[in-house]
Amino acid sequence: MISDTPEKTIAFVSLPYASGHPSEDERILGPLMAGIQQLGHRPLVLAAGPTRADVDDEPGLVRLRSVQPPAAPTARQLRSALADSAAVVREVTELLTCRQVDIVCWVGAEWGLGYLGLAPAGARAILLSHQAPDASSEHWRQAVQYAGAVCLASPCLRRTAAQDGWDTTGWRTLPLAVVPEGKPAVPADRQRLRVDGPIRIIAPREPADVLAELLRAIPPNCTRPIEVALPVCDFDDPLRRRADVIAACEAVPGVRPGQIRIQPRLPWDAAESFLSQAAVTVIPAREPLPSRRVAALALAAGTPVVAYDHGDFPAVIRQAGRTVQLHEGAAGLWSAVDDLLTIPSMYASAAAAALRQAARNTPLRAAAALLAASASTAPRRWPVAADHAPLP
């Protein structure tokens, strides 16, 4: 499908952006940019410098000279690099104007520079976030004020924002989208995986105690390999957390030697392939937002998912696996896994439903929703940078 509207340039401002990494900015922007290109428009990404030869071969990626944190910055280092806000305002405004940007998407109130409200005259401005708005944050207050539209990455975030006192009238949510990397297992292979395939877990941000709780509850009759992957993530992902997770996995008592296997640095572009060869994917997340895309990747691979029934998981998974109530804990997750793997008809139904669900999670659908949100806003009549004093 190609849009019949004139070609537009759509700029995403995301300081920590690095193509191929598993943080939420990249997981949102990758499918969105693919969908925007399918619609006949041009995506552009403004990210913090310096240029990174290993990940910066992506067309449309511009590194800012005015924001130069060290490689793999922490949040504190990125804030320090933003200290000269006047230089940031000048460079970003010049770039957006020279590139004749039609739509500016600030990917976050802080790391997307939404609090600066930068948009050239005539452009439309959208605040796009994968986090719940912080009612105590001046950055958030300003970003919402300057945005023509607010788009959140999930319905759960919008509900949370309303509960926190934000007026979410007119706010929108984007459909979940992934870019399939490979082909799902054929039905015969899927049934083979049901019989003897591994149980695989991707833990993007889960703390060590959440994984330890799950692994300690492995039933005595479970003899399959349990494989845990920790995806590579540069931004604000301290090595201490990774070491804690590995130590928690290795210290689980009562399992067969070698049953728990750890892949400490999984490239995100290999995540779907990793999940495609799993009998089932277990998502033990008690904070569901970072893991909903893991569920979507599993569905694209045709792999059933077991997770808790909170956040967006029930809507994402539907019939493509099982959800259990939080109070059932890790034992409930393993009970659901056992049901799926021991009842062939239930498993086959879940695997087929996974592919049906995945067919809805298209980049085109997400991009069309973003453009619809921008169409509901009025273009700026003046450069926003000139009408306020930015926060330091």
Side-chain angles (χ1 to χ4, degrees), residues 1-233:
M1 174 181 178
I2 300 298
S3 171
D4 58 1
T5 59
E7 185 181 49
K8 295 180 173 63
T9 298
I10 301 160
F12 298 93
V13 184
S14 171
L15 296 184
Y17 180 84
S19 179
H21 288 186
S23 61
E24 279 293 285
D25 281 12
E26 288 79 8
R27 304 288 58 79
I28 291 174
L29 294 190
L32 270 178
M33 290 190 291
I36 285 166
Q37 289 174 322
Q38 291 176 36
L39 288 169
H41 303 303
R42 292 186 302 269
L44 176 70
V45 180
L46 305 188
T51 298
R52 302 173 56 181
D54 57 332
V55 294
D56 284 358
D57 58 351
E58 184 174 319
L61 175 60
V62 178
R63 293 285 179 186
L64 298 175
R65 298 185 305 273
S66 57
V67 187
Q68 295 277 320
T74 64
R76 178 176 293 183
Q77 289 169 328
L78 198 48
R79 289 189 183 101
S80 178
L82 280 168
D84 187 359
S85 59
V88 177
V89 168
R90 285 194 299 272
E91 183 180 14
V92 174
T93 302
E94 179 181 345
L95 280 168
L96 296 175
T97 303
C98 290
R99 298 292 184 111
Q100 297 182 320
V101 168
D102 300 285
I103 302 169
V104 183
C105 293
W106 308 316
V107 188
E110 186 170 12
W111 307 136
L113 303 183
Y115 72 98
L116 293 175
L118 306 179
R124 302 173 192 267
I126 296 175
L127 175 60
L128 173 61
S129 180
H130 58 78
Q131 296 179 328
D134 183 353
S136 65
S137 167
E138 186 68 10
H139 282 152
W140 264 101
R141 187 192 64 78
Q142 287 202 351
V144 171
Q145 175 186 341
Y146 294 137
V150 177
C151 287
L152 300 179
S154 84
C156 178
L157 287 176
R158 185 173 177 181
R159 292 193 296 270
T160 300
Q163 291 166 1
D164 288 345
W166 292 92
D167 179 3
T168 60
T169 305
W171 290 20
R172 299 181 180 229
T173 58
L174 291 184
L176 182 62
V178 297
V179 179
E181 300 290 342
K183 294 182 178 179
V186 299
D189 288 340
R190 178 54 56 197
Q191 282 301 318
R192 176 187 56 78
L193 288 168
R194 180 191 70 81
V195 173
D196 58 12
I199 296 167
R200 288 183 168 174
I201 302 162
I202 291 182
R205 302 296 288 180
E206 277 76 15
D209 58 347
V210 170
L211 279 172
E213 176 191 4
L214 178 71
L215 298 176
R216 281 196 299 268
I218 296 173
N221 64 343
C222 178
T223 59
R224 294 173 187 257
I226 313 294
E227 300 180 356
V228 179
L230 304 176
V232 176
C233 183

Side-chain angles (χ1 to χ4, degrees), residues 219-350:
N221 64 343
C222 178
T223 59
R224 294 173 187 257
I226 313 294
E227 300 180 356
V228 179
L230 304 176
V232 176
C233 183
D234 281 355
F235 175 61
D236 207 16
D237 186 31
L239 294 177
R240 175 62 182 274
R241 173 192 169 271
R242 190 174 299 278
D244 286 348
V245 170
I246 292 173
C249 293
E250 292 176 340
V252 173
V255 298
R256 293 182 300 112
Q259 182 177 13
I260 299 174
R261 304 170 185 174
I262 304 168
Q263 188 167 342
R265 293 186 66 80
L266 177 75
W268 189 255
D269 57 7
E272 185 181 333
S273 176
F274 176 78
L275 295 175
S276 71
Q277 295 304 304
V280 66
T281 299
V282 182
I283 302 178
R286 293 180 176 273
E287 295 294 334
L289 288 170
S291 296
R292 60 197 293 270
R293 293 183 187 278
V294 173
L297 279 179
L299 301 187
T303 302
V305 179
V306 171
Y308 290 119
D309 67 345
H310 64 147
D312 295 323
F313 283 137
V316 171
I317 298 170
R318 297 180 185 264
Q319 304 302 312
R322 294 283 302 278
T323 58
V324 302
Q325 296 182 7
L326 273 171
H327 70 78
E328 296 181 60
L333 294 176
W334 286 114
S335 178
V337 168
D338 187 62
D339 286 348
L340 275 174
L341 297 181
T342 57
I343 304 176
S345 60
M346 180 184 294
Y347 186 86
S349 176

